[in-house]
């Protein structure tokens, strides 16, 4: 379930915090962006920095796109037969799990994720780095990502073109945190490797 995913994030976060004394960076990829914000709103986690990669603004929109994979599988002949978005939604509404692209989706996971929308969750209080691979020059956020982060976030770095290497975060405080984290990670790795 979505609540289970959010709780898992909190458990993993507390486990890591108990073992590492370094700045914390949470990476939310696609739907994980909404999961990160939901976990932050539920006070499960408090990262020092939030990294968003190709963020989505709506769980409902994301799952609608994901459900369309079944239609694409049907058209290309790579999926099971006869599943379209409407029939998949009917299965979910009836309380049955569905399978898409090898993923088993439980109705409570889908309904929980679809209830999350960027406009309904508080903006993070920590600095936020947004990454989106673009083909344009100069690099800029897509309209979807722009709507997702908008003016509600303290965005310290945006995006980079596909052909460039990622830029260094612009905020000196984040540069310091990243440098501290890297140094502590090297020490910790040395202790583990021996």
């Amino acid at each position: 379930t979505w609540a289970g995913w959010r709780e898992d994030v909190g458990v993993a976060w507390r486990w890591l915090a108990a073992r590492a004394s370094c700045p914390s960076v949470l990476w939310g990829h696609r739907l994980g962006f909404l999961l990160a914000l939901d976990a932050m709103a539920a006070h499960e986690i408090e990262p020092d920095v939030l990294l968003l990669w190709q963020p989505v603004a709506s769980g409902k929109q994301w799952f609608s796109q994901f459900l369309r994979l079944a239609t694409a599988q049907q058209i290309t002949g790579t999926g099971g037969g006869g599943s379209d978005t409407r029939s998949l939604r009917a299965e979910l509404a009836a309380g049955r799990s569905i399978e898409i692209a090898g993923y088993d989706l439980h109705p409570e996971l889908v309904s929980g994720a679809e209830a999350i929308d960027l406009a309904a969750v508080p903006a993070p209080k920590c600095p936020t780095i947004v990454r989106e691979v673009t083909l344009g020059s100069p690099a800029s956020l897509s309209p979807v990502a722009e709507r997702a982060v908008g003016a509600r976030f303290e965005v310290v770095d945006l995006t980079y073109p596909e052909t460039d290497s990622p830029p260094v975060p612009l905020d000196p405080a984040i540069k310091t945190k990243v440098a501290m984290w890297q140094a502590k990670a090297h020490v910790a790795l040395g202790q583990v490797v021996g």
Side-chain angles (χ1 to χ4, degrees):
T1 67
W2 183 261
W5 277 15
R6 186 182 60 230
E7 290 166 14
D8 286 349
V9 168
V11 168
W13 195 261
R14 289 186 294 279
W15 181 89
L16 186 59
R19 287 160 179 76
S21 60
C22 58
S24 58
V25 178
L26 180 64
W27 183 341
H29 179 255
R30 304 284 296 143
L31 187 63
F33 159 58
L34 292 176
L35 179 61
L37 290 180
D38 194 29
M40 291 170 72
H43 305 290
E44 294 279 347
I45 57 174
E46 291 185 31
D48 294 311
V49 177
L50 184 60
L51 171 62
L52 308 176
W53 196 280
Q54 302 288 123
V56 298
S58 163
K60 186 169 185 74
Q61 180 183 23
W62 188 88
F63 265 106
S64 290
Q65 292 169 350
F66 194 73
L67 292 175
R68 287 186 198 123
L69 285 175
T71 303
Q73 287 178 321
Q74 183 182 6
I75 291 169
T76 61
T78 59
S83 295
D84 62 15
T85 302
R86 258 182 265 166
S87 64
L88 291 171
R89 286 212 178 269
E91 289 292 307
L92 290 168
R96 292 186 287 274
S97 294
I98 59 173
E99 184 271 326
I100 298 176
Y103 295 97
D104 220 14
L105 301 176
H106 191 278
E108 290 180 26
L109 170 64
V110 176
S111 65
E114 287 190 332
I116 302 298
D117 192 274
L118 179 63
V121 293
K125 295 177 182 160
C126 61
T128 304
I129 300 170
V130 180
R131 293 279 190 235
E132 190 170 63
V133 177
T134 66
L135 298 176
S137 183
S140 63
L141 292 176
S142 70
V144 171
E146 184 65 40
R147 282 192 307 276
V149 296
R152 296 179 54 211
F153 290 71
E154 178 192 345
V155 177
V156 295
D157 194 13
L158 294 177
T159 190
Y160 61 92
E162 190 174 33
T163 56
D164 290 353
S165 60
V168 175
L170 304 175
D171 186 333
I174 291 178
K175 287 180 185 178
T176 302
K177 287 180 181 182
V178 169
M180 288 173 37
W181 177 82
Q182 287 173 331
K184 289 182 179 185
H186 287 309
V187 169
L189 183 60
Q191 290 172 350
V192 171
V193 176

